[in-house]
Amino acid sequence: MSSHKTIHVGGEWRSALSGATREILDPADAKPFAVIAEGGAEDADAAIAAARAAFDQGPWPRTPVAERAALLRRVAGLLRRDREELGLLESRDAGKTVEEGRVDIDCVADAFVYFADLVAAEGAGRVVDAGTDTVHSVVVHEPVGVCALITPWNYPLLQASWKIAPALAAGNTFVVKPSEITPMTTVALIGLLVEAGLPAGVANIVTGPGHSVGARFAEHPDVDLVSFTGGLVSGTKVAQAAAVGVKKVALELGGKNPNVVFADACATDEGFDTAVDQALNAAFIHSGQVCSAGSRLIIEESVRERFVAELARRAAKIRLGRGTEDGVECGPLVSEQQRAKTEGYVASALEEGAVLVTGGQRPEPSGIRPATGYFYEPTVLDHCHRGMRVVREEVFGPVLTVETFRTEDEAVALANDTEYGLAGAVWTADAGRARRVAGRLRHGTVWINDFHPYLPQAEWGGFGKSGVGRELGPAGLAEYRESKHVYQNLDPRPVRWFAG
């Protein structure tokens, strides 16, 4: 496959029909390292047509569940085989450290295995008691059809796998559009699906921009489901376009996630150290470019001063640099646009009264921080409040805001005072308080004395403007299915409703 043949339609790799290409930049130095096809609406149409034909006439939707599950397990094995290569590619594509990239590949493989196991363990359907021996009634699950999958730039392969694995497990065909900024590992995954023996036309990819490819996916009449992960504005447009065709829609639209720390969690040196360490992880993993990043530290007033001082001290020591270099703890932002956006939020926060404790600027270049890279220092802003844009809106950069509370009720109110509702955490040594607060938080995932872990068998998604639908878990598979009730009368007789 030549470097620019990154569109896969009906089992064939091809260039864009227009011949357009795009350079993919390494965010560590802003230099191109790959060239991809820049597809458009006509490429999207071709991919959807291939997926439609493969669903309506091909073998995959009618392939026995055991065979579908076996293919997903083969894909997981191939991912593990290529872990180092894919981890490095994810690092160069998205700017994260190689170790983060390797962890991502492990999680992708786990997702394929989970959905393989889930469908393989299912029965033939749910028998419904009709109240009589003369009726056999069962609810079965069937694939939705052609699924359009639109994925973000921050976790390219992981987010693609959360959609592709359940879509295939359920027997669907699909078209996928990765972010035009970070498409490389999704392209590689399609190659692994082909290697694993997936029939032609089941998996199709179009690399290209959202305004043409993504928009066409969402509006196309032959698409049955649209699953989108990304920003709120784009997600709203996807939902509006899909609504015209009354398509199934799943949206994961980010979050503004609270990390609530009670003073009793910091009562011991070990507890204090752990809470500070996890607050750093919550905010600064992958330079804060995480939909579930704990970017809002909400801390009890009595420990704020000590906690913020130690947090800032450690944040200032985070080693920034090219993700492929040894010793680097945090890479660059994904693009110049994203860095400029982050700088704009910090500037507005300072104008609105926030206090800069550490960071807030581009770091000095070094051997592992090329001057042309999109680096930005981990930033802590104290004395923040809900009226600030930086507290209300998703920054998607290494910026942590600090708010304080005095009572449990106030902590819960602050944590829930957001139009999003993806994830949040509570830190406390009081088991009763932990359960109470977790129960009151209006967020799709709540961690107690932890931050960021997820399980493929547990649903992921949010309340409010964080989206609709769920990924992972049984509900993540259900998104890609239709339920059908089959009612069989075993002893049919005339009803005689009408006398004649």
Side-chain angles (χ1 to χ4, degrees):
M1 183 175 64
S2 64
S3 62
H4 63 278
K5 288 189 175 181
T6 54
I7 293 174
H8 189 74
V9 174
E12 296 183 356
W13 290 103
R14 60 172 71 173
S15 303
L17 291 173
S18 68
T21 60
R22 172 190 290 263
E23 290 183 334
I24 301 302
L25 305 182
D26 184 334
D29 59 14
K31 294 180 180 179
F33 73 95
V35 178
I36 65 165
E38 179 86 328
E42 64 275 20
D43 299 288
D45 287 346
I48 292 166
R52 184 80 264 165
F55 185 81
D56 294 341
Q57 301 154 20
W60 185 250
R62 287 154 285 280
T63 298
V65 168
E67 293 182 27
R68 295 205 301 264
L71 184 137
L72 264 63
R73 293 191 186 101
R74 288 198 296 274
V75 174
L78 296 173
L79 286 160
R80 289 170 178 142
R81 180 198 69 187
D82 296 347
R83 179 178 186 258
E84 289 301 312
E85 177 186 342
L86 291 170
L88 177 61
L89 188 58
E90 194 80 337
S91 173
R92 294 200 70 188
D93 215 6
K96 62 184 66 176
T97 66
V98 171
E99 184 54 37
E100 287 180 81
R102 294 186 186 114
V103 171
D104 285 357
I105 306 309
D106 293 339
C107 293
V108 170
D110 289 346
F112 274 88
V113 171
Y114 168 72
F115 284 109
D117 292 346
L118 185 61
V119 294
E122 291 181 331
R126 186 179 87 248
V127 176
V128 179
D129 184 0
T132 173
D133 292 338
T134 63
V135 169
H136 179 260
S137 183
V138 62
V139 174
V140 297
H141 302 292
E142 298 182 357
V144 171
V146 175
C147 302
L149 314 176
I150 305 171
T151 60
W153 50 258
N154 60 331
Y155 283 87
L157 194 58
L158 186 68
Q159 292 292 333
S161 73
W162 286 12
K163 303 177 190 301
I164 290 172
L168 292 178
N172 298 284
T173 62
F174 70 85
V175 292
V176 61
K177 191 205 87 66
S179 166
E180 58 268 36
I181 303 174
T182 58
M184 301 308 297
T185 49
T186 307
V187 173
L189 176 59
I190 300 301
L192 296 184
L193 293 173
V194 173
E195 183 180 348
L198 192 67
V202 176
N204 306 273
I205 182 172
V206 180
T207 51
H211 66 81
S212 56
V213 178
R216 187 61 176 149
F217 278 6
E219 70 185 14
H220 200 289
D222 281 341
V223 167
D224 301 297
L225 173 149
V226 182
S227 179
F228 172 88
T229 299
L232 177 60
V233 173
S234 297
T236 301
K237 292 179 181 178
V238 166
Q240 290 170 339
V244 176
V246 198
K247 308 179 195 303
K248 290 190 70 173
V249 177
L251 304 172
E252 203 267 76
L253 305 179
K256 193 65 182 175
N257 312 289
N259 186 22
V260 180
V261 180
F262 285 89
D264 62 8
C266 305
T268 66
D269 289 342
E270 181 180 5
F272 177 80
D273 176 68
T274 300
V276 171
D277 174 77
Q278 289 277 16
L280 290 168
N281 293 341
F284 300 129
I285 288 289
H286 192 19
S287 295
Q289 300 170 118
V290 184
C291 58
S292 56
S295 58
R296 293 179 66 199
L297 174 63
I298 300 174
I299 187 162
E300 193 163 352
E301 190 175 273
S302 61
V303 293
R304 179 193 64 80
E305 186 173 347
R306 179 189 176 209
F307 196 99
V308 171
E310 179 62 10
L311 186 72
R313 185 187 71 80
R314 297 190 197 182
K317 290 188 173 183
I318 292 174
R319 293 189 291 275
L320 302 179
R322 186 188 295 273
T324 55
E325 296 288 339
D326 291 339
V328 169
E329 297 171 320
C330 199
L333 293 174
V334 75
S335 66
E336 178 57 41
Q337 179 184 15
Q338 197 60 30
R339 181 169 63 177
K341 176 184 173 184
T342 300
E343 290 175 327
Y345 274 110
V346 172
S348 72
L350 297 179
E351 290 173 2
E352 293 169 342
V355 175
L356 179 65
V357 183
T358 191
Q361 62 185 1
R362 304 180 184 190
E364 291 295 321
S366 70
I368 58 174
R369 288 195 300 276
T372 51
Y374 308 130
F375 295 98
Y376 195 76
E377 290 182 352
T379 299
V380 177
L381 297 170
D382 199 1
H383 297 286
C384 295
H385 58 78
R386 188 68 177 84
M388 297 175 174
R389 284 183 59 236
V390 74
V391 175
R392 298 193 312 272
E393 300 175 14
E394 191 174 35
V395 176
F396 241 61
V399 178
L400 177 64
T401 62
V402 182
E403 302 164 79
T404 59
F405 66 90
R406 293 182 180 179
T407 67
E408 182 178 313
D409 285 345
E410 186 180 2
V412 170
L414 283 170
N416 284 336
D417 190 9
T418 172
E419 61 184 7
Y420 294 102
L422 183 60
V426 54
W427 289 81
T428 178
D430 184 329
R433 170 184 284 157
R435 289 191 297 272
R436 285 194 309 272
V437 173
R440 295 173 67 189
L441 291 182
R442 297 283 295 168
H443 300 274
T445 294
V446 177
W447 295 288
I448 297 174
N449 297 336
D450 211 330
F451 211 101
H452 277 319
Y454 77 92
L455 302 171
Q457 59 268 38
E459 280 75 3
W460 179 267
F463 295 10
K465 290 186 178 179
S466 284
V468 294
R470 290 295 184 269
E471 295 187 299
L472 303 179
L477 179 63
E479 295 285 350
Y480 294 91
R481 286 173 155 177
E482 297 281 14
S483 296
K484 177 186 286 184
H485 179 206
V486 179
Y487 179 105
Q488 182 180 5
N489 189 340
L490 303 175
D491 185 22
R493 298 169 183 269
V495 178
R496 306 299 187 196
W497 186 272
F498 302 104

